[in-house]
Amino acid sequence: MGADVAGAAKQVRLAARPQGQPRASDFEVVAAPVPVVGDGEILVRTTYLSLDPALRPRMNEVSAYAGAVPLGGVIPSSALGVVLESRSPLHKPGDHVFGMFGWQTHAAVQATEARRIDPHRAPLPKWLSLLGLSSFTAYVGLAELGRPKPGETVVVSAAAGATGAAVGQIARIFGARAVGIAGGAEKCRQVVEAYGFDACVDYKAADFAERLDAACPDGIDVDFENVGGDILRAVYERMNQGGRVIVCGLVSEYSRDGFLPGPSLWPAVYKSLRIEGFRASRYFDRIPEFVDKALEWSQAGLFTHREHVTQGIGNTPQAFVDMLAGRHFGKAMVEV
Amino acid sequence: MGADVAGAAKQVRLAARPQGQPRASDFEVVAAPVPVVGDGEILVRTTYLSLDPALRPRMNEVSAYAGAVPLGGVIPSSALGVVLESRSPLHKPGDHVFGMFGWQTHAAVQATEARRIDPHRAPLPKWLSLLGLSSFTAYVGLAELGRPKPGETVVVSAAAGATGAAVGQIARIFGARAVGIAGGAEKCRQVVEAYGFDACVDYKAADFAERLDAACPDGIDVDFENVGGDILRAVYERMNQGGRVIVCGLVSEYSRDGFLPGPSLWPAVYKSLRIEGFRASRYFDRIPEFVDKALEWSQAGLFTHREHVTQGIGNTPQAFVDMLAGRHFGKAMVEV
């Protein structure tokens, strides 16, 4: 039985530092012992693993974002799971929890690091999509930093992505116009149909700039930036006086050797622009408030989310690669 | 007498668009008629003309900052003056006023556009230096946007300039450490001695980066940016988590063909930086509040300002050229 337990868990580890766009071979899926639970800890069997673009920069040798993943290390992602064993009064076996459990089947974590979720309030995958960190990121980015006023225009890049989809819907709940940017006519169509954006502009179109102008006849008041590079520049040029550029991610720059320079700060002076970067972790104490609101909005038919679910932990590397390449629609996750 | 009056006024006009650093020959000082006063207007004889770096970008063919100065146009600067004639109940002959009177001896302006000043509260030149727009700009930039907390480190570039000098002193009044950046050891010495900065770093020194590190052992919380280019980059690299980059001007970039790209926005994401541009004109309703505070601080020995006064309107072009080249110490102005 010792041998069985020793190989009963599975982990996705970083096998090589990706050069440019990651490949599935940059990861390895290996057997591992089920971890032993210490005092104050819980043992979790994961149910759904989250795939997030922000993991990419952490796979580089040096990452200032949240620390580099060591070679051979488990990818440190958020996930859902069920408590198998508890040495804490906080959670009991059978509880469903959310936490930074990593891309693995089993994790032992401090009980305080896991947040209980209620699968009766919403089906499990929704706790990573509609109610997950990407949606929460959209919420705090808009509510705290972007603060769109009714009638203003909010543009969000990677609009088909998990965060972008939530940004557009929450912008509309706040009374603003929501304009998405996504790659390809079909994806843009889906963004408008599935999430109710006012418009979605295809950045791959030859006349992208003209289309962006047409979608934003009154200019742009809030840019929720997920992509960076040329897309950021196009949006930045169209910012209105007093505009806000909320920088959540720069996914087009993650797989380059270095990050690109930002746009000139001169327009920031003469247009009184605010450019603000953020990480949602700074606001984690507001997650319960967000979950209540999101469920309310969802029940009112104002807030929805699609999921792209890949089956089996062994397919996690390829699913991550596909997500970064923009091949998914909806929040990407793996059902373990 | 008609002939006398026709040539009794003098104006400094833009004779040619400066290529790179302006030269005195880009301006012409010409005789002009004393303007006729319309209903609701006042005729002002100027006493002191302000020289400001922000005028430079407006001398280009296209300026988004506050409109380009047309070729042959009077340079639209702030100034002090005495009312000669009034067709408004707001001001009477003999009143001292502040307004956008331009580089000229006489100006006819709407009475509502002139603000009365009291030379008994502070000598005239102080209304352009200590109590002028450059100091006010420092005040709103710090009080509204930078918001330094006690013990934080505020860095300001062009520290020997009119705005920079005020930024350092107001930062210290707010309880922060004030570190200036200026060109040359002598200027840095003066910044520390005249204005009480905690340190001032010479950007011309070969070991500028090391000196900046030494002057900011706890990193940088607020950058009050007046210069841009390499100096901005050096400061940006040293920003702390939650830091604020307040962009007031980019004087090192004004005389180039185009503005430089800004720094990468990636550190803004992982350090939660706020980069905010502004123009003080947005806050002009707070000038009276500022004047009261500045006089109070001045009387308490906490806030002072030097002036570099050039005599005679005919010397305005050269004085402006010298100010942009950093040859002055203190607020640059011309006594008409």
Side-chain angles (χ1 to χ4, degrees):
Chain A
M1 173 171 163
D4 276 351
V5 170
K10 275 191 183 158
Q11 301 182 324
V12 183
R13 296 180 183 169
L14 188 63
R17 303 226 170 265
Q19 303 298 313
Q21 288 290 345
R23 294 172 302 175
S25 58
D26 295 329
F27 305 90
E28 53 183 1
V29 183
V30 296
V34 171
V36 174
V37 182
D39 236 21
E41 290 189 336
I42 55 175
L43 177 66
V44 173
R45 180 177 56 73
T46 57
T47 51
Y48 289 88
L49 311 178
S50 183
L51 308 181
D52 298 291
L55 289 169
R56 173 61 188 88
R58 301 187 60 185
M59 295 169 186
N60 293 335
E61 191 156 2
V62 176
S63 168
Y65 185 66
V69 181
L71 271 183
V74 177
I75 305 300
S77 174
S78 64
L80 306 180
V82 178
V83 177
L84 290 184
E85 189 185 336
S86 175
R87 294 187 58 186
S88 156
L90 281 177
H91 305 294
K92 59 181 194 302
D95 282 352
H96 285 271
V97 285
F98 170 97
M100 297 304 290
F101 304 139
W103 286 354
Q104 53 188 348
T105 56
H106 294 74
V109 300
Q110 286 293 321
T112 50
E113 300 292 308
R115 176 166 56 84
R116 191 146 62 243
I117 61 174
D118 180 354
H120 300 294
R121 292 184 82 190
L124 274 189
K126 294 288 175 200
W127 288 91
L128 280 188
S129 61
L130 192 79
L131 309 174
L133 287 190
S134 359
S135 284
F136 176 69
T137 299
Y139 172 69
V140 293
L142 281 182
E144 288 298 310
L145 307 177
R147 301 195 285 270
K149 297 192 241 323
E152 286 193 333
T153 296
V154 175
V155 169
V156 59
S157 47
T163 299
V167 168
Q169 295 179 82
I170 296 173
R172 283 181 54 86
I173 289 168
F174 287 173
R177 280 190 79 234
V179 175
I181 298 177
E186 172 57 17
K187 216 179 237 183
C188 285
R189 194 188 58 73
Q190 287 180 291
V191 164
V192 170
E193 290 193 0
Y195 302 131
F197 281 54
D198 293 280
C200 187
V201 184
D202 176 8
Y203 70 80
K204 294 179 177 169
D207 57 346
F208 167 58
E210 289 75 14
R211 289 181 190 213
L212 187 57
D213 281 332
C216 306
D218 301 321
I220 298 170
D221 301 291
V222 176
D223 171 29
F224 195 106
E225 188 57 49
N226 291 315
V227 170
D230 291 341
I231 292 179
L232 165 62
R233 270 160 194 69
V235 174
Y236 189 73
E237 285 174 11
R238 290 162 173 81
M239 295 303 296
N240 290 333
Q241 280 287 337
R244 293 130 271 164
V245 177
I246 307 309
V247 192
C248 175
L250 298 170
V251 70
S252 75
E253 305 182 21
Y254 292 160
S255 292
R256 296 171 48 92
D257 272 347
F259 286 90
L260 294 169
S264 163
L265 295 181
W266 185 235
V269 175
Y270 68 78
K271 291 181 180 176
S272 296
L273 302 183
R274 171 159 54 86
I275 303 167
E276 196 157 3
F278 80 111
R279 292 171 57 193
S281 52
R282 196 170 150 189
Y283 303 93
F284 275 179
D285 57 331
R286 296 184 54 186
I287 288 181
E289 159 200 327
F290 163 71
V291 167
D292 289 346
K293 278 195 184 166
L295 283 171
E296 202 178 287
W297 292 335
S298 168
Q299 280 147 20
L302 300 171
F303 190 37
T304 184
H305 221 307
R306 302 289 176 88
E307 295 85 33
H308 184 102
V309 183
T310 301
Q311 301 295 328
I313 190 169
N315 296 317
T316 306
Q318 188 60 47
F320 180 68
V321 169
D322 289 346
M323 178 208 56
L324 277 185
R327 297 191 192 110
H328 292 166
F329 187 78
K331 166 68 192 167
M333 61 182 80
V334 170
E335 187 169 2
V336 181
Chain B
M1 172 166 166
D4 276 351
V5 170
K10 276 191 182 157
Q11 300 181 324
V12 183
R13 296 180 183 167
L14 188 63
R17 302 224 171 267
Q19 304 298 314
Q21 288 291 345
R23 293 172 301 175
S25 58
D26 295 329
F27 305 90
E28 53 183 3
V29 184
V30 296
V34 171
V36 175
V37 182
D39 237 22
E41 290 189 337
I42 54 173
L43 176 65
V44 173
R45 180 177 56 75
T46 56
T47 51
Y48 289 88
L49 311 177
S50 183
L51 308 181
D52 298 290
L55 289 168
R56 173 62 188 89
R58 301 188 60 186
M59 294 170 186
N60 293 335
E61 192 156 3
V62 176
S63 168
Y65 184 67
V69 181
L71 270 184
V74 176
I75 306 300
S77 173
S78 63
L80 306 180
V82 177
V83 178
L84 290 184
E85 190 184 335
S86 175
R87 294 187 59 185
S88 155
L90 281 177
H91 305 295
K92 61 180 192 304
D95 282 352
H96 286 270
V97 285
F98 170 97
M100 297 304 289
F101 304 140
W103 287 353
Q104 52 189 347
T105 56
H106 296 74
V109 300
Q110 285 292 321
T112 50
E113 300 292 307
R115 176 165 56 85
R116 192 147 59 244
I117 61 174
D118 180 354
H120 299 295
R121 292 184 83 191
L124 275 190
K126 294 290 175 198
W127 288 91
L128 280 188
S129 61
L130 192 79
L131 309 174
L133 287 189
S134 353
S135 284
F136 177 69
T137 299
Y139 173 69
V140 293
L142 281 182
E144 289 297 310
L145 308 178
R147 300 195 285 269
K149 298 192 240 323
E152 286 193 334
T153 296
V154 175
V155 169
V156 58
S157 48
T163 300
V167 167
Q169 295 179 81
I170 297 173
R172 283 181 53 86
I173 289 167
F174 287 174
R177 280 191 79 234
V179 176
I181 298 177
E186 172 57 18
K187 216 180 239 181
C188 285
R189 195 188 55 76
Q190 287 181 291
V191 164
V192 171
E193 290 194 0
Y195 301 131
F197 281 55
D198 294 280
C200 187
V201 185
D202 176 8
Y203 71 79
K204 294 179 177 171
D207 57 346
F208 167 59
E210 289 76 14
R211 290 181 188 213
L212 187 57
D213 281 332
C216 306
D218 301 322
I220 298 170
D221 301 292
V222 176
D223 172 30
F224 195 108
E225 188 57 48
N226 291 315
V227 170
D230 292 340
I231 292 179
L232 165 61
R233 271 160 194 70
V235 174
Y236 190 73
E237 284 174 13
R238 291 161 173 82
M239 294 303 295
N240 289 333
Q241 280 287 337
R244 293 130 271 163
V245 177
I246 307 309
V247 192
C248 175
L250 298 170
V251 70
S252 75
E253 305 182 21
Y254 292 161
S255 292
R256 295 171 47 93
D257 271 348
F259 286 89
L260 294 170
S264 163
L265 295 181
W266 185 236
V269 175
Y270 68 78
K271 291 182 181 175
S272 296
L273 302 183
R274 171 159 55 85
I275 303 167
E276 195 156 5
F278 80 112
R279 292 171 58 192
S281 52
R282 196 170 151 189
Y283 303 93
F284 275 179
D285 57 332
R286 296 183 54 187
I287 288 181
E289 158 200 329
F290 163 71
V291 167
D292 290 347
K293 279 195 185 169
L295 283 171
E296 202 177 289
W297 292 335
S298 167
Q299 280 147 21
L302 300 171
F303 190 36
T304 184
H305 222 307
R306 301 290 175 89
E307 295 85 33
H308 183 103
V309 183
T310 301
Q311 300 295 328
I313 189 169
N315 296 317
T316 307
Q318 188 60 47
F320 181 67
V321 169
D322 289 345
M323 178 208 57
L324 278 185
R327 295 190 194 110
H328 292 165
F329 186 79
K331 166 67 191 168
M333 61 183 79
V334 170
E335 186 170 2
V336 181

